């Protein structure tokens, strides 16, 4: 089962990734007014990101694509805003028609989120990233999510040792990524979820830069790279903006993006989003002291631990504190 079929309330890490995306867009909004943009993504059954994007940035030109007929029908029924244009098409068709869609929507720029939950045809997915990059203009925004789970490269239990599995995984990754595989050959010891996410990052970088090769005055500025577990697989996600090279420094200054604690410093940094499952009561006990006490002080006062090992338990607490404002709030409602 892929994470795309799991609702957000069962995927807190995915929820936080979406919140970070909106925060990044809010910085970009200081540089250029995003309210006139066209926002396109694979909205799924509930179109949650469209609703959140509209609420945060007042974007009214909203479009969702879906190739599965059952999901598409549910999407149209669940559509929370009449502004959302739901279309039955796949990502390849979208990219092929993007110029016509922009003209139809009377939009000069767009934000596109290519959310590839499946591990099938990784090379084809990254090829689409290259193609869409080749069609993008200055100030367009690209977000890409790719499956970076090491278990999609083989079952560890089928091998005599971890080293044997990692050797196999490295060969398979090279085969699956083809010409997008990093120029430097990674070590077999890098074949973990963390290491594979870095390999996927380099593949995405190669694709985007290849796509921009025909426009020498344009560059891609990465603004956030993350990996997280969506409940089933480890995922990699990248957000960035196409800029005129001569405007890079001006964008950094005017957007204030360097003030954002989670912004990407370079292509080699892929930050992890890994949140604990907390009850409302546990969160309340922690939240009240976040600004008055250090994490280790809060940890000592808690009448419970998150792990038998104190160091791991403290690390879990710190991960929650880092994202506590982005942590999803779900409550039962009586209708």
């Amino acid at each position: 089962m892929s994470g795309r079929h799991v609702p957000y309330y069962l995927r807190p890490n995915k929820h936080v990734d979406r919140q970070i995306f909106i925060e990044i867009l809010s910085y970009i909004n200081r540089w250029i007014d995003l309210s006139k943009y066209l926002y396109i993504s694979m909205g799924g059954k509930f179109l949650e990101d469209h609703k959140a994007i509209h609420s945060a940035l007042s974007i009214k030109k909203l479009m969702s694509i879906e190739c599965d007929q059952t999901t598409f029908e549910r999407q149209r029924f669940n559509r929370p805003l009449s502004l959302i244009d739901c279309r039955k098409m796949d990502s390849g068709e979208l990219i092929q028609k993007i110029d016509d869609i922009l003209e139809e929507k009377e939009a000069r720029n767009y934000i596109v989120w290519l959310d590839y939950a499946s591990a099938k045809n990784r090379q084809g997915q990254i090829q689409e990233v290259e193609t869409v990059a080749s069609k993008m203009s200055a100030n367009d925004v690209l977000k890409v999510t790719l499956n970076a789970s090491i278990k999609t490269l083989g079952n560890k239990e089928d091998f005599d040792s971890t080293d044997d599995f990692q050797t196999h995984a490295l060969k398979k990754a090279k085969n699956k990524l083809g010409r997008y595989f990093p120029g430097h050959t990674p070590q077999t010891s890098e074949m973990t979820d963390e290491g594979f996410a870095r390999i996927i990052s380099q593949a995405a970088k190669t694709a985007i830069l290849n796509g921009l090769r025909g426009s020498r005055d344009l560059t891609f500025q990465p603004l956030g790279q993350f990996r997280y577990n969506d409940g089933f697989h480890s995922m990699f996600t990248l957000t960035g903006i196409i800029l005129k090279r001569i405007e890079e420094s001006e964008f950094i200054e005017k957007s204030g993006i360097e003030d954002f604690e989670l912004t990407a410093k370079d292509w080699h940094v892929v930050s992890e989003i890994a949140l604990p499952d907390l009850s409302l009561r546990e969160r309340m006990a922690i939240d009240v002291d976040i600004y008055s006490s250090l994490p280790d002080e809060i940890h000592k006062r808690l009448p419970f631990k998150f792990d038998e090992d104190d160091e791991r338990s403290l690390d879990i607490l710190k991960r929650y504190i880092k994202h506590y404002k982005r942590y999803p709030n779900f409550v039962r409602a009586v209708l």
Side-chain angles (χ1 to χ4, degrees):
M1 184 175 186
S2 72
R4 73 187 296 268
H5 298 292
V6 185
Y8 268 93
Y9 63 82
L10 295 179
R11 295 186 291 167
N13 293 328
K14 175 79 171 181
H15 176 90
V16 168
D17 173 60
R18 187 185 65 189
Q19 294 303 111
I20 292 171
F21 176 44
I22 292 173
E23 288 180 59
I24 290 173
L25 291 178
S26 71
Y27 281 97
I28 296 174
N29 199 43
R30 300 177 183 180
W31 164 251
I32 188 168
D33 181 10
L34 296 180
S35 66
K36 302 295 190 296
Y37 272 51
L38 168 63
Y39 174 73
I40 311 169
S41 80
M42 305 164 180
K45 297 184 288 287
F46 308 123
L47 300 161
E48 300 207 33
D49 59 301
H50 290 77
K51 185 165 59 175
I53 290 289
H54 171 71
S55 177
L57 299 162
S58 299
I59 295 176
K60 297 182 177 64
K61 297 174 182 178
L62 304 163
M63 182 175 168
S64 177
I65 63 167
E66 178 58 55
C67 58
D68 179 75
Q69 181 63 31
T70 302
T71 301
F72 178 64
E73 289 171 359
R74 291 188 66 186
Q75 186 179 82
R76 288 197 299 176
F77 175 79
N78 289 315
R79 192 171 57 147
L81 298 164
S82 61
L83 296 169
I84 305 173
D85 180 5
C86 299
R87 298 199 184 184
K88 190 172 184 299
M89 65 170 64
D90 61 24
S91 52
E93 188 178 358
L94 167 70
I95 294 167
Q96 182 181 359
K97 296 180 176 179
I98 190 65
D99 292 335
D100 293 336
I101 291 171
L102 279 171
E103 184 176 353
E104 174 195 340
K105 297 294 185 181
E106 298 181 346
R108 293 184 59 186
N109 293 95
Y110 61 100
I111 302 162
V112 62
W113 181 356
L114 299 176
D115 192 353
Y116 299 110
S118 173
K120 296 179 181 178
N121 193 23
R122 279 194 178 97
Q123 191 171 166
Q125 292 167 355
I126 297 173
Q127 171 66 62
E128 288 188 349
V129 173
E130 178 176 335
T131 304
V132 77
S134 72
K135 292 174 173 285
M136 299 185 93
S137 304
N139 298 317
D140 288 342
V141 179
L142 174 63
K143 179 175 172 67
V144 180
T145 301
L146 293 157
N147 191 308
S149 182
I150 197 71
K151 66 184 179 183
T152 63
L153 300 175
N155 187 347
K156 290 182 181 180
E157 296 178 359
D158 295 337
F159 296 85
D160 294 331
S161 67
T162 298
D163 184 64
D164 287 346
F165 166 71
Q166 290 180 318
T167 299
H168 165 82
L170 182 60
K171 290 179 180 177
K172 193 164 184 180
K174 189 171 185 177
N175 177 261
K176 293 292 183 183
L177 294 174
R179 64 191 181 94
Y180 298 108
F181 191 77
H184 70 283
T185 302
Q187 301 296 313
T188 55
S189 59
E190 293 182 63
M191 297 312 295
T192 61
D193 279 337
E194 180 181 0
F196 191 35
R198 289 195 295 269
I199 290 172
I200 294 291
S201 166
Q202 291 302 302
K205 174 185 178 181
T206 297
I208 293 168
L209 297 185
N210 283 350
L212 293 176
R213 193 170 287 169
S215 303
R216 295 187 177 181
D217 63 325
L218 296 180
T219 187
F220 181 79
Q221 175 66 55
L223 301 175
Q225 290 195 110
F226 304 94
R227 67 181 182 94
Y228 62 87
N229 191 294
D230 72 352
F232 292 89
H233 291 281
S234 179
M235 307 299 292
F236 163 79
T237 184
L238 161 70
T239 300
I241 183 172
I242 306 291
L243 292 170
K244 292 180 181 179
R245 291 185 183 277
I246 61 173
E247 294 182 341
E248 281 184 272
S249 298
E250 188 180 357
F251 166 78
I252 298 296
E253 181 182 349
K254 287 189 175 180
S255 68
I257 191 66
E258 288 193 330
D259 295 332
F260 184 42
E261 60 177 339
L262 299 175
T263 192
K265 303 302 183 194
D266 58 58
W267 279 100
H268 293 90
V269 177
V270 180
S271 302
E272 183 182 20
I273 301 170
L275 295 170
D277 295 322
L278 298 179
S279 71
L280 180 60
R281 189 172 183 180
E282 288 170 339
R283 290 187 61 191
M284 291 174 66
I286 297 167
D287 289 359
V288 70
D289 289 330
I290 283 178
Y291 286 99
S292 60
S293 303
L294 296 172
D296 59 337
E297 295 172 338
I298 298 174
H299 189 255
K300 288 177 183 178
R301 286 199 295 267
L302 289 175
F304 58 87
K305 296 291 183 286
F306 300 107
D307 192 280
E308 291 182 359
D309 182 88
D310 275 356
E311 188 174 335
R312 286 198 295 267
S313 180
L314 177 59
D315 179 64
I316 290 170
L317 174 64
K318 288 178 178 178
R319 283 191 267 121
Y320 167 72
I321 291 173
K322 184 175 184 178
H323 294 292
Y324 84 96
K325 289 187 289 185
R326 306 179 185 99
Y327 198 93
N329 293 295
F330 299 110
V331 295
R332 180 178 297 174
V334 179
L335 302 179

